Amino acid sequence: MADTKQAERKAAKLAKEITAFAKRHGGAEGQLAYLGQMGTRIVLVGGDGGWGDLVAPSHAVARSAAEKAGITLHESFDGDFAAKVRTGPYEWSRMAGIQVGGPSNDLPRSA
C-alpha cells in the first residue's frame, strides 16, 4: 500500500514538472524510453522546439505522470516528432565533440 502511495506522489510531482515545462515552452509532447533498472526517461519536446527530460522510477509512474500532465505521448523518437527539436550552438558543439573530435564542450550555453 505504501509503495502505491509513493508512486502516486512521484507521478504527481513529475506531472507538475511536465506541466511547468509545457507552460514555459508553448505546450509539450513526450516519449517514454525504458532505462532498465534505473527506470524510464520522459523525453519532452516543447512547442517552441525546446527539449528536456525527466526520469521516473518505473514505466508505470512515467506514463501516469504524462497522463496527469495531459501531454501526447509518441511511441518512438523519430520522424515528425524528432524534427520538432531545436538545438543551439552548445548542443551542436557537444555533439561534434563527441562524434568527430570537434571542439571541446566548454562553450557557454545559450539561453
Side-chain angles (χ1 to χ4, degrees), residues 49-102:
W51 56 278
D53 66 348
L54 300 165
V55 176
S58 70
H59 191 81
V61 169
R63 183 164 295 281
S64 176
E67 289 171 358
K68 288 177 188 302
I71 65 168
T72 298
L73 286 177
H74 296 266
E75 289 297 317
S76 61
F77 195 82
D78 59 7
D80 292 337
F81 182 50
K84 292 178 180 184
V85 174
R86 298 291 171 249
T87 57
Y90 172 80
E91 288 85 6
W92 279 103
S93 172
R94 189 159 178 217
M95 286 186 277
I98 293 169
Q99 296 298 320
V100 293

Side-chain angles (χ1 to χ4, degrees), residues 15-70:
K16 283 183 180 182
E17 293 180 54
I18 293 167
T19 301
F21 176 90
K23 188 174 181 179
R24 285 190 312 272
H25 294 280
E29 298 174 62
Q31 190 261 334
L32 304 182
Y34 181 65
L35 296 174
Q37 290 182 352
M38 290 178 61
T40 297
R41 180 178 309 240
I42 306 167
V43 180
L44 301 169
V45 178
D48 64 357
W51 56 278
D53 66 348
L54 300 165
V55 176
S58 70
H59 191 81
V61 169
R63 183 164 295 281
S64 176
E67 289 171 358
K68 288 177 188 302

